[in-house]
Amino acid sequence: MPCMGEEVVRYTFRLRPGALAERALVAEWDRCRFLWNEAVHQQKSGARPTFGMLSTLLTEVRSRNTWLREGSQVAQQQTLRTYAQSLAQSFTVKGRGRPTFKARKNTLPTLEFTRRGFRIRDGRLVLPRGVRIPVVWSRELPSEPSSVRVSRDSLGHWYASFVVRRDPEPVPEAVGGIGVDWGVSTTATTTDESFDLPFRGHRKRCAAEVAKAQRTMARRHSGKRGPQSKGYQRAKRQAARLQKKAARQTEHDIRVWAKLVVDNHELIAVEDFTPKFLAKSTMARKVADAAIGAAKRELIERGVRAGRRVVLVRPAYTSMTCSGCFARAKQRLGLGERVFRCEVCGFTAGRDRNAAGVVLAVAERGHTRVDDVSQSDHLPRRDGRVAVRA
Ligand SMILES: [Zn+2]
């Protein structure tokens, strides 16, 4: 069993703030937002504010501003620290823009509290100024949290995300490898059918309900002329809630699947497919692509954490190469063609199953591209015999 040190992870729980607490959280967010926007303003007017500078400034502004003083210094400091970090990153990370103003209308509240800014007492999260919020403890914290992020999502639900240390989950011994090919109708097709991850379309089940809510939205006053009607807002909320629910179920499925794959294999060969979120593609396609992205991320992360051999294989030629003998088909398979048939050795398999086999075969030979595998390589076949390509 591989033994590693402690790992730092986030444990997230639902919060159930009362009306008073919620008002306090929003007010806290307003103050933090104000400070963030001040920092953005400074930067825009030519200064390059560091956390040290902003920190000094905070002390000064707080001393003459009662409104700010009513808020938590820890949360305000954290806001400025986050600002300074994202500003610094905008200079060093390619493609990262400068931090921008946060408007009340289109940003969701996020507050950070370090160790001295919060406590857990009687099962409640206690924030500065005696704000006490019941937590839905869906599992036990493995250690004392070192910080917490309190945030609200688009549905108006509040969450607390604690940073904790824990011993890594024990990973069972495993031998053998698995190849993973990504797809739309089956999110992950693997070399071993029993490890496939179907795209269950929690969506499909919910799709009808979502569609209904959206139809209702279409009939209601959308606010393009005049204010949004109550019915429109209700339908919009309902649609958002259903979509969120489906997304959570998909996430759960992915976690369970990734754990199963990692627990049972020493070598995990993954098709390095990056879904493109094309503006033109359908909503259903985007959702399926999002599932692929999430599954791939989770599998790689878990595999690496467990000390498994994780190999990313380029997708080129995986679906037109025979996983039995490695002969490459002359023509690309048509999109509608679901079965792969090898003209050289007669090997037949489902198109995606064959591709998963190729992905695994490439990784087993220590490569990351189909092209790197020498055509004269001795290739062990599924039935244990060795096929030699003429
Ligand atoms: Zn073949």
Side-chain angles (χ1 to χ4, degrees), residues 322 325 342 345:
C322 171
C325 72
C342 178
C345 74

Side-chain angles (χ1 to χ4, degrees), residues 323-326 361 364-365 373-381 385-390:
S323 66
C325 72
F326 246 73
E364 274 174 341
R365 281 155 190 76
V373 178
S374 151
Q375 292 268 309
S376 59
D377 268 356
H378 288 244
L379 303 165
R381 285 169 39 144
R385 284 185 296 142
V386 171
V388 182
R389 172 129 166 76

Side-chain angles (χ1 to χ4, degrees), residues 291-327:
I292 293 174
K296 187 179 157 200
R297 225 170 12 250
E298 179 79 17
L299 181 63
I300 293 172
E301 209 179 283
R302 260 183 194 273
V304 169
R305 209 194 296 150
R308 302 300 200 211
R309 206 146 45 98
V310 178
V311 179
L312 291 172
V313 176
R314 294 271 200 84
Y317 307 119
T318 51
S319 56
M320 54 192 294
T321 303
C322 171
S323 66
C325 72
F326 246 73

Side-chain angles (χ1 to χ4, degrees), residues 126-138:
V126 183
L127 298 175
R129 314 276 151 180
V131 177
R132 303 163 66 84
I133 307 167
V135 181
V136 183
W137 297 106
S138 44

